[in-house]
Amino acid sequence: MRLRMVRYTEDKKIFIKILYWGCAAGGKTTAVDTLYQLCSETPMDVIPTGTLKKIAMASGSTLYFDRGIFQNKREKSLYYHVFTVAGQTRFGKTRKILFEDTDGVIFVADSQKSRMQDNIDSLKELKKIAEGKLISVIPLLVMLNKRDLDDIVTLEEWEDVMKENGLLFKPTEPLFEWNPIIYETVALPDNPQNVYRIFSECARRCVMYTVYGDGKAPGKRDIKLPPDVPDL
Ligand SMILES: Nc1nc2c(ncn2[C@@H]2O[C@H](COP(=O)(O)OP(=O)(O)OP(=O)(O)O)[C@@H](O)[C@H]2O)c(=O)[nH]1
Ligand SMILES: [Mg+2]
C-alpha cells in the first residue's frame, strides 16, 4: 500500500484518524459509545482496543474530546483512531486542533428542525477549518441523526443544505462519486440505526483515498480491480 496521509509507527502499525464533528448535543458521543458497544458485543470487522476515553462535563457534554481505538480484524496492523469534538460553540479552538491530521470526517447533524441553524453553523465552521479539503482530500459522510424523534427535517431538506454549502456534487462533476452519503441514523444504543454502517464506509473511503488516490479522492481510472483494500 502506498500511504501518505495515514501514519505508521515503528512497529509498522497504521493509524487512520476518523473525526465525528457536529453541533452540541447532536449525538456524537452517543454514536461512538454505541459503536463501541456494537463492536464489543457482536462480531464485526473491527474490534475496540481498550476503553473509550471521554473528557466530559458533569452534564455529559464533551469538554475536550472522546477517543476510541479500533483494530481491523483481518488487517491486524490497521487501527482506527476515532475522535469526537466538543460541539459547544465556545470550544472552537479545541476543535481546530483536533481537526489536524484527520483522515475522514463523519458530520453528525441533529435532525430536529429547531437545531438546523446550529447544524449549519457547525458545517460552515468545519468547511472553514478544512480549507477546501473536504471530499477532495478528506472523505466526508453525514449522520442525519435522531430520526426517532418528531418534528425533524426531511432528507431532501438536508441535501439542500449540503448543496448550498458546495458539498454535494452533480453527476457531471468529477467528485460526484465521492459525494457524502447521508445516513439516516439513530445513535441510541437500544435500537441503533446505521451507526456501524457509516463508520465502516468512512473507514473504507479513508483507505481508498490513500491506496488509490495517493491521499486524494481517486478517479475511476485509478481504481484497479481487484482492490487490495482491506474488507471492512
Ligand atoms: N432521541 C435520540 N436522542 C439521541 C440520539 N443520539 C443522541 N441522543 C441524545 O442526545 C443527547 C446528546 O447526545 P451526545 O452524544 O452527548 O451529544 P454530543 O454531540 O456528543 O454533544 P457535545 O459533546 O456537547 O458536542 C443525549 O441525551 C443523547 O441520549 C438519537 O439518535 N435519538
Ligand atoms: Mg460529546
Side-chain angles (χ1 to χ4, degrees):
M1 288 205 275
R2 206 150 42 117
L3 296 154
R4 203 186 63 182
M5 286 165 67
V6 292
R7 285 153 294 284
Y8 287 110
T9 56
E10 272 181 15
D11 52 358
K12 300 270 187 277
K13 285 180 181 162
I14 304 162
F15 288 98
I16 290 176
K17 178 173 172 181
I18 294 178
L19 186 61
Y20 284 68
W21 186 285
C23 67
K28 302 176 291 296
T29 298
T30 311
V32 176
D33 252 332
T34 299
L35 181 68
Y36 240 69
Q37 214 169 304
L38 286 172
C39 297
S40 310
E41 290 168 1
T42 325
M44 299 288 194
D45 292 326
V46 296
I47 40 165
T49 63
T51 51
L52 180 61
K53 285 194 174 41
K54 293 193 252 185
I55 310 179
M57 293 178 274
S59 62
S61 190
T62 303
L63 180 58
Y64 290 111
F65 57 79
D66 308 306
R67 192 193 74 170
I69 304 177
F70 296 82
Q71 183 183 23
N72 188 294
K73 276 195 204 159
R74 285 176 224 190
E75 296 277 336
K76 290 203 183 322
S77 58
L78 185 55
Y79 289 81
Y80 308 96
H81 275 190
V82 175
F83 288 85
T84 80
V85 298
Q88 290 191 15
T89 320
R90 60 195 162 126
F91 298 134
K93 275 193 191 147
T94 321
R95 280 193 291 278
K96 193 169 179 194
I97 294 167
L98 205 55
F99 183 81
E100 282 170 23
D101 297 330
T102 290
D103 296 303
V105 174
I106 295 179
F107 183 84
V108 182
D110 189 325
S111 292
Q112 296 175 96
K113 284 183 181 161
S114 59
R115 300 300 312 278
M116 259 321 100
Q117 194 53 51
D118 294 332
N119 290 324
I120 292 167
D121 291 348
S122 178
L123 191 65
K124 286 190 189 301
E125 185 192 69
L126 171 65
K127 259 191 78 176
K128 192 170 166 210
I129 289 173
E131 297 175 333
K133 295 198 182 88
L134 292 175
I135 307 170
S136 57
V137 176
I138 300 173
L140 174 69
L141 295 159
V142 177
M143 280 179 68
L144 195 51
N145 195 35
K146 305 195 185 180
R147 300 311 283 172
D148 54 314
L149 296 181
D150 296 326
D151 211 20
I152 55 176
V153 292
T154 62
L155 182 61
E156 291 71 30
E157 282 170 320
W158 184 257
E159 278 173 356
D160 287 343
V161 170
M162 298 292 286
K163 280 180 203 155
E164 280 155 22
N165 284 281
L167 295 170
L168 217 47
F169 295 100
K170 298 188 186 106
T172 49
E173 293 177 293
L175 287 172
F176 172 73
E177 65 181 304
W178 299 108
N179 264 347
I181 302 174
I182 302 168
Y183 292 84
E184 297 188 75
T185 63
V186 177
L188 297 174
D190 289 348
N191 187 21
Q193 283 171 35
N194 284 332
V195 171
Y196 181 74
R197 189 166 294 152
I198 188 165
F199 166 78
S200 169
E201 177 61 15
C202 187
R204 193 184 73 86
R205 287 191 182 198
C206 287
V207 175
M208 295 283 278
Y209 275 41
T210 303
V211 173
Y212 296 117
D214 197 16
K216 297 199 190 84
K220 270 196 186 120
R221 265 183 251 139
D222 300 328
I223 302 174
K224 295 165 193 75
L225 293 173
D228 68 338
V229 170
D231 198 6
L232 279 162

